[in-house]
Amino acid sequence: MPPPAPPTVLVPSERAVVLLSCALSALGSGLLVATHALWPDLRSRARRLLLFLSLADLLSAASYFYGVLRDFAGPSWDCVLQGALSTFANTSSFFWTVAVALYLYLSIVHGAHAPRPDRLLWAFHVVSWGVPLAITVAAVTLKKIGYDASDVSVGWCWIDLEAEDHVLWMLLTGKLWEILAYVTLPVLYLLVRKHINRARAALSEYRPILCEAHQLQRRTASVADTKLVLIPLIFICLRIWSTVRFVLTLCGSPAVRLPVLVVLHGIGNTFQGGANCIMFVLCTRAIRTRLFSLCCCCCPQPTAETPASTPGAPALSKTGDPQPPRRTAGELPST
């Protein structure tokens, strides 16, 4: 294999962009966790998986932020610590992302024949936390994590390029699972979409007599279909740049230091939490409406209004108690 390219020097503008991406990703992951804590009635099983994915993305963004801020110039104890945390969190994020896709596939396509949700959740926990933890502990114990000259990172530490088997450990600590996710996510979501299209075709002859509620379900399903397409697409668009720089590093190409590739790599590795927040919070009507109402309630109003006339306030029952918000029927688990 050709010798590795010279160290990649980060200019202040590149660091600023990647640090901003880390901050936005942490903010988005925190918002996902906050919405899960604020509104128990929205805690579906799919959103519980999103909660654990958000926790992994939050840890990943925080560790990357420290690495980019420090911009390590050589091996050190905090370089190893930061590399271990980012390796664990990043690998766990891959597993939880695939877990969400697998859960949607089993719930929508197989339905009643799918494994019990409790068993699935335990299996997801064991794999998505256990496997990354075992890999990270092994990498730290064998002293494989260290300074990588920003050739396969953007300021942070990962696998020590001076290790003889560094390519193998790069695959085990991230790239192998990343490449598998490139294949697994589109396949699972295409199977889900194919199943939905079949169900629509089977009911097409009854569409003229559908009531308004059923038409609302169709519009909701259309939004869910869009998300089914965007989830693997956004994942690939964010992560592909790190794979490109990984291949260029193995080839010893000087193109690995191109500023555009460096910035895209930095944003792609750090913005997963922000992308998930956009899709599952800002683009989800039920949560977006509640956030807007919460912001309105926090702002001082010029005139006092009764609870019944306040925009976004829950309707009162005959006994005067607020009624729980209704969940849109027919909404797919992904929304």
Side-chain angles (χ1 to χ4, degrees), residues 70-304:
R70 284 275 282 109
D71 191 12
F72 296 100
S76 60
W77 69 269
D78 55 341
C79 170
V80 175
L81 177 60
Q82 180 272 313
L85 289 176
S86 61
T87 296
F88 168 74
N90 201 40
T91 308
S92 180
S93 177
F94 291 153
F95 280 97
W96 280 114
T97 302
V98 175
V100 173
L102 183 59
Y103 173 78
L104 292 176
Y105 169 75
L106 293 174
S107 300
I108 296 174
V109 177
H110 291 278
H113 302 288
R116 291 178 55 186
D118 293 339
R119 292 182 179 178
L120 271 180
L121 186 59
W122 276 107
F124 289 152
H125 276 297
V126 171
V127 174
S128 300
W129 297 124
V131 174
L133 180 60
I135 293 174
T136 303
V137 170
V140 172
T141 303
L142 298 175
K143 299 181 179 180
K144 303 299 180 181
I145 293 181
Y147 178 63
D148 61 5
S150 290
D151 289 337
V152 284
S153 69
V154 186
W156 57 78
C157 290
W158 188 30
I159 298 299
D160 187 357
L161 291 181
E162 295 184 359
E164 295 182 359
D165 52 353
H166 64 273
V167 176
L168 172 63
W169 282 98
M170 286 179 184
L171 292 172
L172 288 177
T173 56
K175 292 305 168 188
L176 175 62
W177 317 113
E178 185 177 75
I179 295 171
L180 288 177
Y182 290 156
V183 178
T184 305
L185 290 176
V187 169
L188 289 175
Y189 284 114
L190 283 174
L191 291 175
V192 171
R193 188 175 180 84
K194 183 178 179 180
H195 177 81
I196 293 174
N197 290 338
R198 283 180 179 177
R200 287 180 177 176
L203 295 174
S204 60
E205 58 181 307
Y206 299 105
R207 286 181 181 174
I209 59 175
L210 286 177
C211 65
E212 183 179 353
H214 288 172
Q215 292 176 356
L216 177 61
Q217 292 179 20
R218 287 170 53 198
R219 289 194 297 269
T220 304
S222 178
V223 174
D225 281 354
T226 303
K227 290 184 180 180
L228 291 179
V229 176
L230 289 178
I231 290 173
L233 184 62
I234 291 177
F235 178 86
I236 293 174
C237 289
L238 287 176
R239 294 290 183 171
I240 193 64
W241 309 110
S242 64
T243 305
V244 170
R245 291 194 74 214
F246 169 70
V247 174
L248 291 176
T249 300
L250 296 184
C251 298
S253 172
V256 74
R257 302 190 305 274
L258 288 175
V260 174
L261 280 180
V262 173
V263 172
L264 289 174
H265 180 187
I267 295 175
N269 267 46
T270 59
F271 195 65
Q272 189 67 48
N276 290 335
C277 177
I278 292 173
M279 281 190 295
F280 298 109
V281 174
L282 302 182
C283 292
T284 301
R285 180 181 297 178
I287 297 181
R288 186 175 65 245
T289 302
R290 295 188 184 198
L291 284 176
F292 180 76
S293 300
L294 185 62
C295 292
C296 291
C297 292
C298 293
C299 297
Q301 299 293 334
T303 57

Side-chain angles (χ1 to χ4, degrees), residues 11-67:
V11 299
S13 59
E14 294 171 349
R15 293 179 62 193
V17 171
V18 179
L19 286 173
L20 178 62
S21 177
C22 292
L24 291 176
S25 182
L27 179 63
S29 299
L31 188 58
L32 268 167
V33 174
T35 56
H36 189 87
L38 283 174
W39 297 300
D41 59 305
L42 295 179
R43 296 175 188 172
S44 63
R45 291 190 179 94
R47 288 200 167 269
R48 288 178 64 187
L49 299 181
L50 284 174
L51 170 66
F52 303 125
L53 172 60
S54 299
L55 292 175
D57 288 334
L58 182 60
L59 178 59
S60 178
S63 61
Y64 282 144
F65 185 91
Y66 179 80

